[in-house]
Amino acid sequence: GCVTALTKTTKENGATVAIPGSHLWGPDRRALKEEAVPAELNPGDAFIFLGNLYHGGGSNITRYANFNTLHASSFGSDIP
């Protein structure tokens, strides 16, 4: 996946969160909330990650409604 910042993204305004290293976990490992790290970005910055990395939208706790990022995904493979 790829998240590109259209505006400054912070923990407070809902930056995408991810669990570092979670793409390496087996099926029995569960994520803990305190493991989540916000991808705080400046406009034009990108957060690029493997699709099986645990990730999700953060919570906007500000009083402003923002559209901060553009998310792009690829569903397919060149591997037969």
Side-chain angles (χ1 to χ4, degrees), residues 14-46:
T16 299
V17 294
I19 311 281
S22 60
H23 63 292
L24 301 173
W25 296 351
D28 297 327
R29 175 69 158 85
R30 298 289 178 246
L32 302 174
K33 186 175 182 177
E34 55 270 12
E35 294 176 297
V37 178
E40 296 187 307
L41 306 170
N42 289 310
D45 288 350

Side-chain angles (χ1 to χ4, degrees), residues 52-65:
N52 62 337
L53 181 81
Y54 282 29
H55 65 282
S59 298
N60 183 352
I61 58 172
T62 69
R63 62 185 183 116
Y64 304 104

